[in-house]
Amino acid sequence: MSYTSYNYLLLFLGSVLIIYTAMPQKLKWLVLLISSYVFYLISSGRLVVFLVLTTAAVYFAGIFLNKINDSFAIAKKGLEKADKKLLKANIAWQKRAVVAVTLFIIFGFLLVLKYSGFFISSAQTVLKLLHLKPKLPFVKFILPLGISYYTLQAAGYIIDVYRGKYRASENFAKVALFLSFFPQIVEGPIGRFDLLADQLYCGHSFDYDRFTQGIQRIVWGLFKKMVIADRANILVSEVFGNYNKYSGGVILLAGILYTVQIYAEFSGCMDIVIGSAQLFGVEMSENFEQPFFSKSVNEFWRRWHITLGAWLRDYVFYSVSLSKPFMKLSRYTKEHMSEQLGALVPASFALFFTWFGIGFWHGAGVKYIIYGLYYYAIMMVGMYSEPLVAKAFQTLKINRNSLLTESLRIIRTTALVVVGMMLFRAETVKIWAGMMVKIFISFSAATLLKDSLSCGMDKHDFLIVALGVAVIFAVSLLKEKGVKIRESLAKQKLPVRWAVYACLALSVIIFGAYGIGYDAVDFIYGQF
Amino acid sequence: MKSGLKKLIRVFGFTALLIALVISSSYMLAPKDNTKEGGIVNPSANGFFSEPKGTIDISVIGNSDAYSGFSPMELWNGYGYTAYVSGEGSQTVAQAYSMLSKVLKVQTPKVVILETDGFFTKSKVVENAAKIVNASLGSSFSVFQYHDRWKKVKIGELFKKPHYTGHCAPKGQWLSNDVKGYNGKEYMKKTDKSAEIPLGTKHSAEAFVKTCRDKNIGVLFLELPSQSSWNYKKHNAVKKYADELGVTFIDMNIDRERFDFNWKTDTRDGGNHLNSKGARKCTLFLGKYLEEKYNLTDHRKDKKYSRWNEDFKDYSKNAKI
Amino acid sequence: MEQLIKILEEIKPGVDYKTETDLIGNKILDSLKIVQLVGELNDEFDIEITPIDIVPENFKNAETIYAMIKRLEDE
């Protein structure tokens, strides 16, 4: 059930909201839990078993960790300091075992279901290189909806409990709701138990302002997805599917339009789901913060898919870089290398794991790993060259923070991101390389206009996409300048407000790329 | 703190504004003609719009089985009755119902025939719900169906009233002279088992029948021969359901020798759809039933209907039977 | 405190750590700098900062970092 379908918006969301509002306070959580599972069953049917197993695994592991902690608290009373330390070490080992087994189980599902095809075909390639003729079975599983997202949430929960950030919940329904909540299950935002679970569980009564805010946010998301992304998709899928037919200019255009598409779509989906959650009084984390105003790739990834970056930072990057072996390594580099290198070398190791994780999480394939490492490489170049660059700016006496240099940095970052997005979209790395080469060798400005009208989008379509992008740009620019758009809009007189909202809604209905002649386009990020 | 009443008024006020906008944009963007150039979807199913008002006596609504297997021109030639087929590929009953409302806007049929293959159009419950919403939104507010016409529409056209000019000589029939026979086993094996008609479908079908009865229009359920989409279980289900509603059900898959039907020569695609020959046989058989059962007028000698005679000439040139 | 300010200045010079109130919000410390800082603090103060301690509230400014160090020294 797509978030942009009538089914979701009118039938599902509408009826859940009515039932939720009508239910007494104490039972509201039940409405959310049941509707989340109905949503899941409609999309994935019996594959729901994996969601249930993951939920059960982290729930019972959490209870187990609570028990260990409690018995430690009792046992340590009256012990000598040395004995206390010994007991603590023993306890720590037990806790580590519980978490390791739990993570093994939940990531096991993810690895087997999502990656076994990749592992088998890789093994096949290796065996072939050794001149063996292997006959390995070809396996491809259907993925349970949102497994890449709820697995991360479940892992974050159990790691937090292990680290002692909070006590595990004794309430199974709460954990189940946290992992299955229907607005977030398809493509995030990846939630944290301490921020989300109580909100989901406590039940909120109907609030008019929140309701209108939620609806507005949903319509804004629909505008991004249906008017811009789905229309840009026409040219993007044509050119990426048959890049050989097109000149470099058109390929570059397709790369830019794909970047527009994925941003409008992913952030639009976030608007829809965050708006949906708002209807029930649930505030979810934001996933985007005007990413295309970033001055570096590093910054881009702090503003794009924020909850994924934050998850990897908290549970991979910090875990790795604060671990004992790592601390030893950084002590070693600090003593044996120059001051700057001493700090950079360990960081580059830890970042490698993070970026490998980002790449591999997006998909089972060499392409996605290269996608992650592409950003890793850019970041490494930036990190290691930073002292030199700083010196260069200083000697040339150029202000690094002037409007011009900052704009140039934004453009450079965007260009690097477009190249990355093209790799993300291209079927294989080879096709991507072919496209990049063509951009440089067969770029013909003279025929660009004519060529771009030959890929399924007519001039009306371009006009709409351009206007849509202009609207998004204007809104982002205002936000970047610190203007709170919705608040200042709410202060306007009623006719102004109504005109804005009605225009937005009507433009979705009229200019949306849906119905005859358009195929409904699935959300790209839902596949991960 | 605003009062609850004020908020409620606001919600209604804004909803009313939005509906007004949707209705007016529907009017502006709806096709102003029932031709392909006019932008209408499925021009041949909508050809009844340009028949003079109140001249169609029989309206046949259904899916591809209907527009392949029913021939208004043969009925005209044999009995002088005016019929129009409004068939849409894989039409659901919800869509059939919205087609009926369109027909009743301009025509006053005496008999409406609903082809029952659409009772079993395969879709999950969810898809079905979506189709019902879609069909009702699309038929009440054509902007949902025709929004993309903003690209083509000229400013002057926006406020014009629709003017229908498209003329469909075979009156909605999809004429095919291809022969690709079916040589397989008999598919109508008698059984007591029954298929199930989905709840949503029943809901639409009942609305369909009620609308006709309210207007004193005769309703018939009809199943044209189709080896690949029909069987005895479906027959039992529709028979039982038609009895409940008190509607006559004619299943032409049964006792096909009544009208000399031959699967080897009368289908264009190996048993799913009929060709012009099969359509002729079925239509003439039905004509007899209609003649006996309903008080219909033979218009063949009526000068007002002389165009139908020309259309028949056109039809006989194309139909090689 | 003096010792802490010295470490901070080594890691990222050019900031007045005595007056700066929001090191995270104003994007002075990113995750790389934090890891570097944690390494230094662990060595200098003989404490063990774990991932759970790395929350914005603890690294907001010199005061809060110092408070965290004191807390961990007591454990």
Side-chain angles (χ1 to χ4, degrees), chain A residues 472-492:
Chain A
I472 293 193
F473 180 78
V475 168
S476 309
L477 189 65
L478 286 173
K479 270 196 188 162
E480 190 66 12
K481 295 275 176 225
V483 180
K484 295 202 166 103
I485 297 174
R486 297 178 66 179
E487 284 172 22
S488 40
L489 189 61
K491 281 187 203 126
Q492 299 295 318

Side-chain angles (χ1 to χ4, degrees), chain A residues 413-489:
Chain A
T413 307
T414 307
L416 289 170
V417 168
V418 168
V419 173
M421 290 301 179
M422 288 179 74
L423 169 61
F424 193 67
R425 176 65 174 79
E427 201 76 25
T428 62
V429 180
K430 212 171 144 195
I431 289 178
W432 171 70
M435 291 176 92
M436 295 315 292
V437 169
K438 260 195 123 172
I439 289 181
F440 287 105
I441 61 164
S442 77
F443 191 96
S444 134
T447 60
L448 180 59
L449 196 66
K450 203 177 116 264
D451 289 350
S452 28
L453 287 171
S454 68
C455 330
M457 271 170 74
D458 59 24
K459 48 182 196 280
H460 299 94
D461 293 319
F462 277 106
L463 180 72
I464 288 296
V465 171
L467 286 175
V469 169
V471 171
I472 293 193
F473 180 78
V475 168
S476 309
L477 189 65
L478 286 173
K479 270 196 188 162
E480 190 66 12
K481 295 275 176 225
V483 180
K484 295 202 166 103
I485 297 174
R486 297 178 66 179
E487 284 172 22
S488 40
L489 189 61

Side-chain angles (χ1 to χ4, degrees), chain A residues 36-296:
Chain A
S36 294
Y37 268 85
V38 167
F39 185 91
Y40 204 89
L41 283 167
I42 289 173
S43 305
S44 275
R46 64 185 70 163
L47 293 176
V48 71
V49 68
F50 292 104
L51 175 62
V52 174
L53 286 175
T54 297
T55 308
V58 293
Y59 171 74
F60 288 112
I63 298 282
F64 202 45
L65 287 176
N66 278 354
K67 285 221 170 102
I68 296 176
N69 283 334
D70 292 346
S71 59
F72 172 65
I74 296 167
K76 82 176 177 187
K77 269 178 201 156
L79 279 182
E80 291 294 313
K81 207 170 183 185
D83 289 339
K84 220 190 251 180
K85 222 171 187 177
L86 207 68
L87 184 66
K88 197 177 177 184
N90 186 23
I91 290 284
W93 185 87
Q94 280 183 33
K95 280 162 59 173
R96 211 168 290 154
V98 171
V99 171
V101 170
T102 315
L103 293 179
F104 181 79
I105 293 170
I106 64 175
F107 280 105
F109 291 142
L110 182 63
L111 285 174
V112 169
L113 291 172
K114 188 168 172 180
Y115 298 100
S116 49
F118 169 68
F119 290 134
I120 290 172
S121 72
S122 309
Q124 192 114 0
T125 318
V126 171
L127 290 175
K128 256 187 200 148
L129 287 176
L130 300 171
H131 300 287
L132 294 168
K133 278 190 195 135
K135 265 194 197 144
L136 297 175
F138 178 76
V139 206
K140 194 169 163 58
F141 295 103
I142 303 166
L143 278 185
L145 181 72
I147 186 171
S148 305
Y149 293 89
Y150 74 68
T151 302
L152 293 192
Q153 288 199 177
Y157 167 70
I158 202 65
I159 295 173
D160 278 349
V161 171
Y162 162 73
R163 286 175 177 176
K165 195 173 176 191
Y166 43 77
R167 258 180 89 81
S169 174
E170 312 271 337
N171 185 337
F172 187 79
K174 210 176 198 177
V175 179
L177 183 54
F178 163 67
L179 291 180
S180 67
F181 185 44
F182 67 85
Q184 86 196 356
I185 190 78
V186 179
E187 50 185 64
I190 299 161
R192 301 293 174 91
F193 189 80
D194 49 338
L195 298 179
L196 204 58
D198 286 331
Q199 290 192 64
L200 289 171
Y201 194 76
C202 71
H204 302 262
S205 45
F206 184 82
D207 180 276
Y208 174 78
D209 291 329
R210 214 173 47 212
F211 172 76
T212 51
Q213 293 249 325
I215 300 279
Q216 288 159 18
R217 185 98 194 242
I218 291 174
V219 176
W220 175 236
L222 288 173
F223 175 81
K224 285 182 182 169
K225 159 79 177 155
M226 293 173 72
V227 177
I228 303 170
D230 288 355
R231 206 171 284 278
N233 180 61
I234 304 168
L235 181 138
V236 170
S237 52
E238 167 61 24
V239 175
F240 276 86
N242 314 288
Y243 82 95
N244 271 323
K245 271 168 41 189
Y246 296 101
S247 64
V250 175
I251 291 173
L252 181 62
L253 178 71
I256 293 169
L257 275 181
Y258 178 65
T259 310
V260 167
Q261 182 194 356
I262 195 165
Y263 175 59
E265 189 172 294
F266 195 9
S267 72
C269 177
M270 288 305 115
D271 291 324
I272 296 172
V273 301
I274 291 173
S276 303
Q278 232 165 26
L279 299 179
F280 303 97
V282 176
E283 296 293 331
M284 297 202 292
S285 304
E286 292 294 336
N287 233 353
F288 292 92
E289 192 197 340
Q290 295 86 261
F292 289 98
F293 286 99
S294 303
K295 292 187 266 305
S296 68

Side-chain angles (χ1 to χ4, degrees), chain B residues 119-152:
Chain B
F119 282 31
F120 304 97
T121 297
K122 261 186 210 146
S123 60
K124 291 181 193 159
V125 184
V126 181
E127 287 168 20
N128 219 4
K131 272 190 181 165
I132 292 174
V133 177
N134 211 345
S136 43
L137 273 180
S139 66
S140 353
F141 306 115
S142 44
V143 67
F144 288 98
Q145 192 176 8
Y146 289 112
H147 62 95
D148 227 32
R149 273 175 39 81
W150 67 269
K151 286 183 182 174
K152 290 185 195 132

Side-chain angles (χ1 to χ4, degrees), chain A residues 163-165 289 298 302 313 317-319 321-322 324 327 331 334 339 343 347 351 383, chain C residues 10 27 30-32 34-36 38-40 42-43 48-52 54-55 75:
Chain A
R163 286 175 177 176
K165 195 173 176 191
E289 192 197 340
N298 195 351
R302 280 203 303 269
R313 184 194 65 215
F317 179 73
Y318 285 147
S319 293
S321 53
L322 298 182
K324 292 226 167 76
M327 282 292 170
R331 230 164 269 146
K334 208 161 67 185
E339 201 179 312
L351 280 176
M383 258 169 55
Chain C
E10 258 170 42
K27 292 178 180 150
D30 60 15
S31 52
L32 289 180
I34 287 182
V35 166
Q36 216 180 319
V38 166
E40 296 287 340
N42 282 353
D43 290 353
E48 197 193 336
I49 299 172
T50 56
I52 159 100
I54 305 183
V55 285
E75 267 184 20

